[in-house]
Amino acid sequence: MRIGVIGTGRIGTIHAHTLSRHRDVGSLILTDADPARAQALAHRLGETAAPGVDEIYTWGVDAVVITTATPAHAELIGRAARAGLPVFCEKPIALDLAGTLQAIAEVETAGTVLQMGFQRRFDAGYTGAREAVRSGRLGRLHTVRAMTSDAEPPPAGYLAQSGGLFRDTLIHDFDILRWVTGREITDVCAAGSDAGPAVFREAGDVGTGAVLLTLDDGTLAAVTATRMNGAGYDVRMELAGERDQIVVGLDDRTPIASTEPTGPPAADKPWTGFLERFAPAYEAELVAFVEVVRGERPNPCDGREALQALRIAEACELSRRERRAVRPAEIPGGQEAAFG
């Protein structure tokens, strides 16, 4: 199997390493907007670098992995679909619903595969939480608390094209909340704060956000995010039911200290970022993609799952701006998404 990797930045480099050592992947063709960066990575891996995206197709590949900046995703997905190739793409498909729907339509018209990169679905902790909820261990679920806290903000240039905190960061929490609970989100009430460094205000973004979500069975979920958590990278989910409660992301590297005399000590080596915290999950999702391409398993996260998460993020942005509760069904395209 030969796979084309479009984009050789941080996550593209990680995915290329994973694929290069996979026993069922014979070779890679790497390309990037910075040809020298692709060439350097190809040299390190013993793979081939292409001068541009066109060569990915003229030289011939069996599948495509897209890890470019978000604005290029939708067009690249459409091109792969028109070429009849299965594609893996980092989230999101696009920063707007129109672009997202267009890319999904191209994939569905072509009858090809689009697997989205929501890596938390491959994390052992979240997988365990899903199993606990589905098995009935927790009883009726009544409360979920989730958080994503980055240790420091990304570069200003990234913020400007990220789509904002709700679309870029909290979209992972929205996706995993649906995946773990098996429920849909019926309404959201969101708030954001741009207090702190001016870089957030200059980008029209917020540095901290909070959302109260109601699920279709009445379960309440509180989700928060910040880009300024000085203690370290902190991603957790707590699920409380009438029988039991559990937590994802609480280990000896969680950057939190207890003020109780008998509480656990602060972590000696707190998580530094998402690439470190979710390294096994990033590898597992690419292994799954190879299996999908080989016809050995169904698609674990298709484009319509990504559409649903984006619609929730859009509802949160509308809620924040208008200071009111918003139903995701109000967002255009909502009637087109029916998921389970």
Side-chain angles (χ1 to χ4, degrees):
M1 181 188 304
R2 180 186 242 189
I3 296 180
V5 179
I6 305 174
T8 56
R10 289 189 304 172
I11 195 62
T13 295
I14 288 173
H15 288 339
H17 275 272
T18 296
L19 293 168
S20 185
R21 62 177 180 262
H22 195 292
R23 67 180 183 277
D24 293 323
V25 177
S27 62
L28 303 178
I29 301 177
L30 312 177
T31 192
D32 192 272
D34 178 355
R37 184 164 66 177
Q39 185 65 55
L41 179 59
H43 179 74
R44 292 198 301 273
L45 296 178
E47 303 289 356
T48 302
V53 174
D54 289 347
E55 285 76 13
I56 292 286
Y57 296 96
T58 58
W59 294 358
V61 294
D62 301 298
V64 174
V65 170
I66 299 170
T67 61
T68 61
T70 296
H73 287 183
E75 190 278 329
L76 291 171
I77 289 169
R79 183 167 185 179
R82 294 190 296 274
L85 294 173
V87 58
F88 174 95
C89 184
E90 282 299 322
K91 65 82 191 169
I93 294 174
L95 292 178
D96 64 294
L97 286 161
T100 300
L101 289 165
Q102 176 61 35
I104 291 172
E106 292 214 58
V107 170
E108 293 179 349
T109 297
T112 54
V113 169
L114 168 60
Q115 180 183 328
M116 295 303 301
F118 282 103
Q119 87 285 351
R120 294 187 194 183
R121 294 183 178 217
F122 296 87
D123 176 73
Y126 286 108
T127 299
R130 175 183 165 98
E131 293 170 353
V133 170
R134 305 302 176 90
S135 71
R137 170 185 161 186
L138 306 185
R140 185 187 70 84
L141 191 65
H142 55 75
T143 307
V144 181
R145 292 174 288 271
M147 62 185 297
T148 296
S149 298
D150 291 327
E152 57 186 19
Y158 177 85
L159 283 176
Q161 64 176 1
S162 71
L165 187 70
F166 295 100
R167 298 185 189 93
D168 181 52
T169 300
L170 277 168
I171 196 168
H172 280 288
D173 295 273
F174 303 147
D175 176 72
I176 206 64
L177 176 61
R178 294 181 60 248
W179 188 75
V180 167
T181 65
R183 312 306 309 190
E184 296 298 343
I185 294 166
T186 58
D187 62 73
V188 307
C189 188
S193 171
D194 62 3
V199 65
F200 301 116
R201 293 185 292 279
E202 291 167 356
D205 197 5
V206 294
T208 301
V211 189
L212 176 64
L213 309 101
T214 302
L215 309 191
D216 59 11
D217 64 348
T219 300
L220 295 180
V223 183
T224 65
T226 184
R227 296 191 189 272
M228 295 292 296
N229 198 54
Y233 183 72
D234 193 0
V235 172
R236 278 178 279 146
M237 173 183 273
E238 300 172 6
L239 300 107
E242 293 180 343
R243 294 181 184 172
D244 200 358
Q245 64 179 348
I246 55 175
V247 59
V248 178
L250 184 61
D251 58 23
D252 60 2
R253 298 193 65 183
T254 304
I256 190 168
S258 173
T259 60
E260 300 295 337
T262 59
D268 290 333
K269 294 183 178 181
W271 296 109
T272 58
F274 62 93
L275 294 178
E276 182 187 31
R277 164 66 177 84
F278 289 110
Y282 280 118
E283 180 169 351
E285 69 180 357
L286 264 294
V287 171
F289 179 60
V290 172
E291 293 172 352
V292 170
V293 175
R294 289 172 57 86
E296 297 171 352
R297 65 172 293 172
N299 188 349
C301 186
D302 64 20
R304 290 194 169 270
E305 293 286 296
L307 171 62
Q308 185 74 328
L310 178 61
R311 287 180 54 248
I312 297 164
E314 292 285 345
C316 288
E317 284 287 2
L318 181 60
S319 174
R320 179 180 71 87
R321 291 196 306 270
E322 299 189 357
R323 298 177 179 269
R324 67 177 179 89
V326 173
R327 293 175 296 108
E330 295 180 41
I331 305 302
Q335 64 273 21
E336 301 183 36
F339 313 99

